[in-house]
Amino acid sequence: MTAPLQFPPTLREVMLRGRWIGVLLLCLVVAGVFAWLGQWQLERAIDTDPPPAGVTEQVQALDETLEPGVYLPEPLVGQRVETEGVWIPGDFLVVSNRFNGGVEGYWVTGQLRVAERTSIAVAVGWAPDRASADAAAAELEADADGSTVAVTGRIISDEGPSVPPRTEPDRMDRMSPATLLSRWHDTEELDVYRPYLASTTASAGLVDIDSPAPDEISPVNWLNVFYAVEWAIFAGFAFYLWYRLAKDAWEREVEEFEDAAAASV
């Protein structure tokens, strides 16, 4: 009697075995977690309550917009604010590497005391050369008689400190309230705003600072969208991994079957 013909298992038969069904269920759990993470990222990618267009151009009171010592949140970058206070004598300092309309120059800055033991750094205006900036700082110094002044401008994030060249240890190339604070007077127990105020109207013969309205913030956070796509890819890869492992097992069985058949001939 002729022995019945034997055939190697099909890929479908291997995939339907209990072992690989269990692996598939595990992959479903992993893919589900990845899909949930993708949905979580996607929900945070779209701002359903973005700031209205033109909100940065509506002048607000500084003390009602931001608190001292707080980092400037993105929706408030470039917000126009108004405040009043007194200039602190001796604290009109020059910052280099400032561009106005594409022309390099200098800013004259000052410490504006807006409340008792609370100050904000103010960029008063722009000058094309250091001599003009120093002359304007001297004029502002002479006029700092304790009178209350009103200032309107945009609040801008701290640019961070810079390392001055060895030949000019007092030079500042970045507008950093933290750096200015280290050179100000009367700073004991002083609260300072982290951002600075770029004045709209210059004084002391300075030129108005070129400070256009910031670009409108997109309601879509593309970085979060990218992360959501990544999680979707990971979820798909979990199924591909199951398929690839099952297929590898099937190919090994087919190869072993063929080797056994060849040996029996």
Side-chain angles (χ1 to χ4, degrees):
M1 183 175 180
T2 304
L5 295 176
Q6 294 184 347
F7 299 94
T10 64
L11 177 59
R12 180 175 179 273
E13 289 173 342
V14 172
M15 288 180 171
L16 290 177
R17 290 174 183 170
R19 174 188 177 186
W20 294 108
I21 293 294
V23 174
L24 176 60
L25 292 175
L26 177 61
C27 289
L28 283 171
V29 173
V30 173
V33 172
F34 288 160
W36 177 82
L37 289 170
Q39 181 182 6
W40 180 79
Q41 288 284 2
L42 199 58
E43 288 175 351
R44 282 150 184 78
I46 302 176
D47 187 357
T48 57
D49 188 25
V55 68
T56 59
E57 303 312 289
Q58 301 172 11
V59 180
Q60 303 177 11
L62 173 64
D63 57 357
E64 296 177 0
T65 304
L66 191 69
E67 296 181 359
V70 176
Y71 286 101
L72 185 63
E74 185 176 1
L76 292 178
V77 173
Q79 175 67 51
R80 295 187 68 193
V81 298
E82 60 184 1
T83 188
E84 58 181 28
V86 297
W87 297 116
I88 301 301
D91 289 343
F92 290 101
L93 304 172
V94 176
V95 177
S96 309
N97 198 30
R98 301 290 95 185
F99 287 83
N100 235 38
V103 180
E104 185 175 0
Y106 301 81
W107 278 359
V108 177
T109 71
Q111 178 191 170
L112 185 67
R113 187 66 52 86
V114 296
E116 185 177 358
R117 311 312 303 163
T118 302
S119 291
I120 186 170
V122 178
V124 182
W126 179 86
D129 53 68
R130 184 59 189 255
S132 300
D134 290 338
E139 182 177 341
L140 288 166
E141 183 70 36
D143 293 339
D145 56 2
S147 301
T148 300
V149 296
V151 178
T152 300
R154 296 188 188 278
I155 46 176
I156 311 295
S157 299
D158 186 337
E159 296 178 2
S162 62
V163 179
R166 293 182 178 180
T167 55
E168 299 178 82
D170 293 331
R171 174 169 171 163
M172 291 180 290
D173 287 333
R174 307 184 73 177
M175 184 62 182
S176 171
T179 301
L180 294 172
L181 176 62
S182 67
R183 305 187 184 191
W184 283 350
H185 301 84
D186 188 24
T187 58
E188 185 176 355
E189 297 183 1
L190 182 68
D191 287 331
V192 178
Y193 284 86
R194 285 186 177 272
Y196 65 89
L197 181 59
S199 178
T200 302
T201 305
S203 57
L206 295 168
V207 178
D208 293 347
I209 293 174
D210 183 12
S211 182
D215 295 334
E216 296 293 339
I217 299 175
S218 172
V220 179
N221 186 325
W222 292 106
L223 183 60
N224 279 12
V225 172
F226 173 76
Y227 288 149
V229 171
E230 274 195 332
W231 287 121
I233 294 174
F234 292 157
F237 182 76
F239 292 107
Y240 173 77
L241 181 63
W242 168 78
Y243 167 79
R244 186 68 257 179
L245 291 174
K247 187 177 180 181
D248 287 346
W250 168 70
E251 289 176 344
R252 283 195 300 271
E253 287 194 31
V254 170
E255 184 178 351
E256 290 172 357
F257 178 86
E258 292 176 346
D259 290 344
S264 64
V265 173

